Amino acid sequence: LAYGRAIDFLDVATSEVHELCRISGETTQLCGRDGDHMVVLAMADAPGHFRVSSRVGTRFPLNWTASGPLLVGHLPEFERVALFRNAAKVSPTGRSETDPVRLAREAEVALAQRLSVHLSESDFAVVCIASPICNRDGECVATISLVVPEQKAAQRGDEFARLVREASQRIEAMLGWGAH
C-alpha cells in the first residue's frame, strides 16, 4: 500500500509520454480536463520539422481535441450533454462537432473503444490520436495522444492507434488501475 501511494501519476505518465515519442517518432502529449477544457499536462516533441503549436498548459475546448471526448466519456449521458451544450465551440478550422447530443454519444463510444481520432479539428492537416488513462473505477483521468501530420496518419494510422492504446494500458498497469 505504501508503494502504491508513493507512485506519482504525473511521473509515471510523463515517462510513458517520452517512451511513446521515442517508439513512434511522433509528438506525444498527456492531457487532462480542466472544467470544460482539455489541458496539455506533459509533452514530448518529435524530431524533425513538424511542430505542434500547443505546449504544456495550453487549453482547448473539449470538442476540439481527440482527448476531450475521452475525458468525459465516463460521465452519465445527461452530464455529457449538459457539458457540451455549455462548452462546445466552433474550432478555427470550422470542422469541430458542436452538437451536444452527438458529442455525448461520441464520448461514450470513444471511451468504450479506448480510442478517439480527430482530423483537422483545431489545426488544418493535423491528426490527434488519443487513448484514455482510466482509474480503478473506469473514470478517464487523462489521455495520452500522438499529434501527427495528416499524411503520416493516413500511412500509419492503425499502428498509431495500437501504440497509444498500449501506452495508456501500460500507465494504468504501472499505477495498479488495470482491469476496470
Side-chain angles (χ1 to χ4, degrees), residues 117-135:
V117 179
H118 278 203
L119 166 64
S120 297
E121 306 236 358
S122 59
D123 290 308
F124 287 109
V126 175
V127 177
C128 182
I129 304 165
S131 187
I133 301 165
C134 298
N135 65 18

Side-chain angles (χ1 to χ4, degrees), residues 72-99:
V72 299
H74 63 276
L75 298 174
E77 182 178 14
F78 74 93
E79 285 184 41
R80 292 191 313 266
V81 171
L83 178 72
F84 285 125
R85 184 171 289 121
N86 293 324
K89 307 280 186 250
V90 175
S91 67
T93 65
R95 294 183 67 176
S96 62
E97 178 63 64
T98 57
D99 179 85

